[in-house]
Structures are given as structure tokens and as C-alpha cells.
Amino acid sequence: MFLAFKELKHSKTKFALIIAVVVLISYLVYFLTSLANGLASSYTNAVEQWNSDQIVLTVDANDNMMMSYMKQGDFDGVDTGGSKTKLGIFPAVINNPLAENILDSRVDVYFFGIDNNGFIKPSELKDLTLTGNQVIVDEELKKEGYEVGDFFGVTGSTLQYEIIGFSSKTTYQTAPVVFMSLDTWQTYRYGSTNTPDLFSGIVVKGEIENLPGNLISYSTEDYIATLPGYTAQVLTFSVMIVFLIIITAFVLGIFIYVLTIQKTSMFGVMKAQGISNGYIGASVIVQTFLLVAFGIFIGLVLTALTGAFLVDVIPFAINIMFYSVITVAFFLFALFGGLFSVSAVLKIDPLKAIGG
Amino acid sequence: MTGVTKDFLQGDNVIRALKETNFTAYEGELVGIAGPSGSGKSTFLTILGGLQKPTTGRVLLNGKPFSELDIKEKSKIRLENIGFILQASNLIPFLTIKEQMLLHNKITKSKVNQPWMDELFLKLDVEKLKDKYPNKLSGGEKQRAAIAKALYHQPSVIFADEPTASLDTNRAYEVVKLLAKETKEQKKATIMVTHDERMLEFCDKVYVIVDGVLNEKLVDNLVVKS
Ligand SMILES: Nc1ncnc2c1ncn2[C@@H]1O[C@H](COP(=O)(O)OP(=O)(O)O)[C@@H](O)[C@H]1O
Ligand SMILES: [Mg+2]
């Protein structure tokens, strides 16, 4: 597209400014997407690692696993052709007994009580046996200075736990998960005297064939949606991102339109010379396309750079699928904006342009 | 053109801007169209060029029907057979003079006619200007470049609407002389609208339009010249 390229080259400043706007907006959108994605993953990482199909709670718990109390009989009552495993879940605040200021070392975590042979144990650490107060923790805790062999305490208790391994991508509701045997979990949860044999839920791989009436099953996705704040957060981010993309399309569409209108007489002259609507329209579209492509590319590079710098500070996850969808949406909407200008080109009367 | 008229609606009144007109231009002829402002000169020229439809009558180009064609076909014919030289210069601001020519090749996917381009540049004395953008040229230079552009694709007909309007007398003479010369050499039919009577002395034929009526004008100096 000779015309399109030549004009871009000739009016560099003008187009650079437009590209700058696209860069800023696309940067914002990609960055926000990565943040939203990172945040959402940190809600659900641990659950996604299970690769489960169903999650069973008590009906009484009202979607809240923390309020679900089950006995061995409940576990036995769940029939499945696949596999099932028990899960105890409870929040905790841990601290580092060796820290100068113990209060500063507090970290919110989730204690997961699991079966040593259950499929929800981090697969890379299958060989480690969880006994007594030995635990596997999410690698997020490395940032707090913990290493294998270190101990941590728990607020409200004199118990201490020993870290025997780090698992990756195991955060639940943004907090790192601490895996321990179910016995250990029950002792933490209900105290060491007369500890009841209770747990919170059952994670199932495969179909459930029979479920006792006091229990309710969720697909894993539905369960994730019930996590407090998760759905609202995902929705908020999605709406913001969609709006930003539409705004970009508008801004770009308006810019291109204004440029097109400025060039009315020139286009008129071109039409009088016999240059077809198709050619003029196509060069408007090619320009729009190039502006978006440049802008998006720079926006992506900036996002990647920022991500590389901030990955330890904020939850930041790049999802190629989301990026592709957003990129395609950018192009579609921007071209849609460009089409407005094309329709303006169609309406230009060469007669007016040559001042007849 | 035969039996061409053009009506415009102004408010509730129909104004006949062009009364019934018959007109023919032959190759190798530079035809001057003179007349006061508002007399219908531009209307006449734009109907010839297919930019608006006549109310009645028809326009033939190279013996083939032209005015009845649809916009797309007319556009194509303009691209190939017609050169426009306009008062406000028909140069595209973001192309260098050379690129203005190349644009035609790009659009028609044709080969660059380098010898002809070089020849035009030399003849029209724009050789030194070929890599400049229009806004770097003076009025006369622009007009010469515009003529080069109109001639480059070797159209059979050239329409010039007030090509000398923005030029001083010497430049204007120069431009019209060039136009006359190219018309002869390249066997074009050139139709030039002008309100400047002095420019008519280079024309082979002169017509005057007054209130939409076209009449051939026989001028002494034309006879002298030929
Ligand atoms: N698009 C139009 N609508 C209405 N009236 C027009 C239009 N174009 C030209 N006219 C009228 O036709 C007459 C001839 O105009 P024009 O051909 O532009 O004259 P010239 O070029 O000789 O100055 C004028 O009275 C003008 O007002
Ligand atoms: Mg006029």
C-alpha cells in the first residue's frame, strides 16, 4: 500500500502521537489483564493443581468449605468410579520464631490437611511423607526467607512446624498453602485433646455415582466461582478490560476519522483523477491496521518489561490465550473504527474537491 | 458531447446552468473555454470529465459512451484516459513529485515508464524538484509538476480548470505554452477553462460561455497564429 506507507512516513509526528495513545492504552490493557490473571490464579492455583472434577461439601456449609464438617461415614458414602480424597482446610497466621520482630514476620496462609497418598498432594513432592509437624509449603514463603529445615510458629498456639519441601503454584485465595497430614491438621484445628476425626471436604476425580443427602457436589469450576470475591473480581477486571478495548477503538476511530476529514479535498482530487474508492478506503484501513500493530507491539514489550521487573512484587501472570483474544479484539474494534472513515471517504464528492 | 444540459435545484427553482450544448474536441487541439464567473465553465468541464452527470444528452470519449457509465467504470477511464490539472493543484501533499507519478503505476499495477518520466521532468523543468514535497515548491513549480503528473500516464484528454489562476503573468504564459506544446506533441485533446483572456492566444479554438450558452469565438490573433 504505497499511499498508506508514504503518508505514514511523511507525517511521522502526527502518527507517532496516535501510536503513543495506542501504546498507552494497550499497555494498560495488557498490564491489567496480567494483573487480573495473576490475581485470579493466586486465588485458584492450589485448586487447579488438583485436576479434579468435583468437590463435595456438606449442604449446611452453604458453599463455604471452612464451615463444612465431615466424618469418615460421609467419605465412605460418596461413590465414584474415579478416585476421591479427603481435604481439611483452615486459615492460619504463621510467624518466624527466629525473627527479630515476630509480629513483622506474620504471613496469612491456608493449612491443607491431606492424605499422604491422596492425589491432591503436590505431585513433584510425592516421595516426601508428611508426618507429625513436617509440612510442605508454597514457594511464596521462600520470599519470607524460609528454607527447607526451617521452623515456623502459628499465632494462637505454641506448635511449630518444620518445612520439608516447597511446592509451586499452590496458593489459595492469594495465600500460600501449607500441606500437612490430616492428623496434624486436625490437631491444629481442634486441639490435641479428644481430637475429633473431622475434615472439610472431599475432592473427586471422575463422576460421582452416589452422594449422601447431607452432602452437595460442585464441579471444580463452580467451586472456584464460590470463593469469596473471586467472581466479583474477575467480573470487575473483565468489564474494565472490555471497556478499555472499546475506548481504544473509539479513540483510534476518531483520530483516523479526523485525519480523513482533514484530507477530504485531497481524496476528492484523487477520486477526480480516477483513483477508486477501494484503493483509498484500503489505504485508510491499512494505516489503521499499522497504527494498531505498532501500538500493540510496543504495548506488549512494555508489559513484558514491567512484568519482568515486578513479578516478585505483584501477582503478574501472562496468559497467551487472553493476550491473543485481546489482541484480536483490538484489531477488530480498531478496524471497525477505521471503517467509519472509509464510509466518509465513500461520501466524498470529487466535484466539491476540485471546486467546480 | 451532444445535447448536453445541466439543471440545478436552487431552493424551489430549477436553474439551467448549462443550456443545450454540443461540443467536440479533437486530438492535437488546445481548446480554451472563457466566460465570466458563474457562467457554467466548471459545470461544463466536470460533465466532460464525468464528475457529474448531464441532465440530458451524453458525453462520448474516444467515440465510446462515457456519461452513462457507472461511477466505477468512469473512475477507471479517468485513471487511464484523462488527466486533470486543477486550479488548486492536484498534487498529493505527502508524496514527492516523483512519487506522484509512481502512484499511478502502483494503482494500475503498470511498469514505471522511466524514459517518459525523465523526459517530462526535463521538459517541464522539474528535474531538480522531483524528490521534493509539494509544500516546498513555488506556485509555478507546483503547476508545472501538476502538468507533468497529468501527462505522465499519457491520457488522451486533458482537462485544465484555471491552471494559471495562482500564477503571475510570466509563469502563466510559460505554463500555458507548455500545455499547448504537449498537446501538439503528444496528440492530446486539451480543454482549458480560464477567466484570463490573455491565455487564450495559445489556444487553437476558443469558446465563450455566457449564462450557460457555449459559443465558438473567432479571434483575430488566433488566425494570425495559425
Ligand atoms: N452543485 C450545484 N448546485 C446548484 N447550483 C450550482 C451547482 N454547481 C453550479 N451551480 C450553478 O451553476 C452556475 C454555473 O456554475 P459554474 O459552472 O461553477 O460556473 P463557473 O465555473 O463558470 O464560474 C452558477 O450559477 C452556479 O451557481
Ligand atoms: Mg469555476
Side-chain angles (χ1 to χ4, degrees):
Chain A
M1 295 307 287
F2 186 69
L3 210 54
F5 284 125
K6 288 293 172 189
E7 188 181 8
L8 288 177
K9 203 178 132 219
H10 187 249
S11 315
K12 281 190 212 77
T13 352
K14 197 158 67 181
F15 289 113
L17 287 175
I18 298 177
I19 290 178
V21 173
V22 181
V23 167
L24 290 177
I25 299 182
S26 67
Y27 177 40
L28 183 60
V29 170
Y30 287 121
F31 191 72
L32 214 59
T33 309
S34 300
L35 264 185
N37 192 29
L39 209 55
S41 312
S42 65
Y43 259 77
T44 60
N45 264 336
V47 176
E48 270 154 18
Q49 294 281 325
W50 298 341
N51 281 319
S52 59
D53 297 306
Q54 314 269 335
I55 288 161
V56 180
L57 306 184
T58 59
V59 174
D60 292 342
N62 189 28
D63 298 350
N64 184 348
M65 174 111 65
M66 252 61 79
M67 289 295 115
S68 174
Y69 303 96
M70 286 187 196
K71 295 200 231 9
Q72 182 64 34
D74 296 320
F75 184 73
D76 295 337
V78 176
D79 285 342
T80 170
S83 47
K84 56 181 179 177
T85 186
K86 295 176 196 169
L87 171 67
I89 204 169
F90 210 69
V93 177
I94 64 167
N95 56 51
N96 187 344
L98 302 178
E100 279 175 35
N101 183 344
I102 291 186
L103 285 185
D104 279 350
S105 72
R106 286 173 304 175
V107 182
D108 286 316
V109 299
Y110 274 92
F111 277 8
F112 278 17
I114 59 170
D115 195 336
N116 252 311
N117 304 317
F119 64 81
I120 61 177
K121 190 174 170 187
S123 52
E124 70 269 29
L125 301 170
K126 275 275 184 278
D127 297 339
L128 291 178
T129 310
L130 296 164
T131 52
N133 281 3
Q134 296 191 321
V135 296
I136 294 170
V137 301
D138 182 73
E139 64 189 4
E140 283 280 307
L141 289 182
K142 281 184 186 167
K143 287 184 207 161
E144 304 293 327
Y146 289 106
E147 289 168 19
V148 170
D150 284 356
F151 286 84
F152 61 80
V154 180
T155 304
S157 154
T158 54
L159 293 172
Q160 289 206 350
Y161 298 86
E162 184 191 359
I163 297 173
I164 58 166
F166 285 97
S167 56
S168 73
K169 294 202 170 164
T170 42
T171 49
Y172 184 75
Q173 297 204 47
T174 74
V177 168
V178 174
F179 294 94
M180 54 188 60
S181 73
L182 203 52
D183 288 342
T184 315
W185 181 83
Q186 285 164 346
T187 310
Y188 159 73
R189 175 79 177 84
Y190 302 110
S192 54
T193 49
N194 291 329
T195 312
D197 185 18
L198 292 176
F199 54 94
S200 313
I202 304 167
V203 183
V204 179
K205 239 181 212 177
E207 288 301 304
I208 292 177
E209 282 142 20
N210 186 38
L211 199 63
N214 64 324
L215 301 185
I216 180 170
S217 72
Y218 302 79
S219 73
T220 303
E221 282 156 35
D222 287 348
Y223 177 71
I224 288 173
T226 69
L227 295 178
Y230 177 79
T231 307
Q233 176 208 313
V234 167
L235 199 69
T236 310
F237 272 114
S238 310
V239 169
M240 274 163 73
I241 290 164
V242 168
F243 269 97
L244 278 171
I245 292 176
I246 294 174
I247 288 170
T248 317
F250 264 101
V251 171
L252 206 66
I254 291 168
F255 271 128
I256 300 281
Y257 187 77
V258 170
L259 289 185
T260 308
I261 296 305
Q262 278 183 344
K263 291 183 289 193
T264 302
S265 71
M266 185 194 83
F267 284 143
V269 167
M270 285 159 82
K271 282 190 183 190
Q273 286 166 14
I275 299 176
S276 68
N277 277 326
Y279 189 87
I280 300 174
S283 62
V284 170
I285 291 294
V286 166
Q287 279 180 351
T288 314
F289 191 85
L290 287 175
L291 294 176
V292 181
F294 269 117
I296 284 182
F297 177 74
I298 301 174
L300 275 174
V301 170
L302 285 179
T303 311
L305 287 179
T306 324
F309 279 111
L310 291 184
V311 76
D312 286 343
V313 188
I314 50 171
F316 186 93
I318 289 173
N319 180 319
I320 301 292
M321 211 263 292
F322 286 163
Y323 274 29
S324 318
V325 169
I326 288 173
T327 307
V328 169
F330 263 131
F331 275 109
L332 284 184
F333 276 98
L335 291 184
F336 191 69
L339 284 180
F340 268 110
S341 301
V342 173
S343 76
V345 168
L346 294 184
K347 287 195 203 106
I348 294 172
D349 183 356
L351 196 59
K352 298 255 165 50
I354 68 167
Chain B
M1 57 162 68
T2 52
V4 167
T5 65
K6 181 72 189 176
D7 296 340
F8 290 114
L9 216 56
Q10 267 180 1
D12 291 337
N13 306 331
V14 176
I15 295 196
R16 179 149 287 197
L18 202 57
K19 306 277 158 34
E20 184 159 328
T21 306
N22 298 302
F23 169 85
T24 310
Y26 301 95
E27 61 181 33
E29 252 183 20
L30 174 59
V31 181
I33 310 282
S37 173
S39 57
K41 303 183 298 291
S42 297
T43 305
F44 172 74
L45 199 70
T46 48
I47 289 177
L48 276 180
L51 297 178
Q52 53 184 337
K53 281 203 160 170
T55 307
T56 64
R58 62 200 301 230
V59 179
L60 304 180
L61 188 77
N62 296 333
K64 290 192 209 89
F66 179 51
S67 56
E68 299 98 305
L69 300 178
D70 69 26
I71 291 178
K72 225 177 176 166
E73 292 168 313
K74 272 194 237 175
S75 213
K76 190 158 178 284
I77 290 183
R78 279 207 299 276
L79 189 60
E80 283 161 8
N81 291 319
I82 296 180
F84 271 104
I85 303 167
L86 304 170
Q87 181 178 342
S89 148
N90 51 354
L91 301 173
I92 296 167
F94 51 82
L95 297 180
T96 63
I97 301 311
K98 189 176 172 194
E99 287 165 353
Q100 312 269 346
M101 319 281 154
L102 296 181
L103 177 63
H104 191 273
N105 293 116
K106 299 280 176 188
I107 291 173
T108 55
K109 299 197 171 62
S110 54
K111 273 225 188 71
V112 178
N113 189 343
Q114 195 63 49
W116 174 228
M117 196 192 304
D118 293 341
E119 194 182 331
L120 273 178
F121 283 161
L122 276 180
K123 273 188 186 160
L124 290 154
D125 195 20
V126 285
E127 176 63 29
K128 291 189 298 293
L129 313 171
K130 66 179 181 193
D131 292 321
K132 291 193 174 167
Y133 291 97
N135 62 358
K136 296 278 186 299
L137 307 185
S138 71
E141 290 170 337
K142 266 189 230 175
Q143 213 53 281
R144 295 204 309 270
I147 293 174
K149 180 179 180 179
L151 293 173
Y152 173 65
H153 63 289
Q154 304 189 307
S156 45
V157 189
I158 292 175
F159 296 117
D161 194 356
E162 314 257 12
T164 59
S166 54
L167 306 180
D168 63 48
T169 312
N170 286 338
R171 282 293 178 195
Y173 274 130
E174 203 179 294
V175 164
V176 175
K177 268 195 252 174
L178 260 170
L179 210 49
K181 186 162 150 259
E182 289 312 313
T183 304
K184 297 276 140 22
E185 287 182 8
Q186 304 297 324
K187 299 224 180 308
K188 315 272 178 231
T190 302
I191 295 147
M192 175 177 73
V193 161
T194 179
H195 63 274
D196 188 345
E197 301 273 335
R198 292 167 305 172
M199 300 305 141
L200 297 172
E201 65 177 278
F202 301 99
C203 297
D204 302 299
K205 274 186 199 156
V206 173
Y207 292 82
V208 177
I209 300 187
V210 181
D211 292 334
V213 182
L214 183 78
N215 279 310
E216 188 162 359
K217 182 183 177 190
L218 297 168
V219 191
D220 292 343
N221 61 9
L222 279 179
V223 180
V224 170
K225 201 186 101 196
S226 46

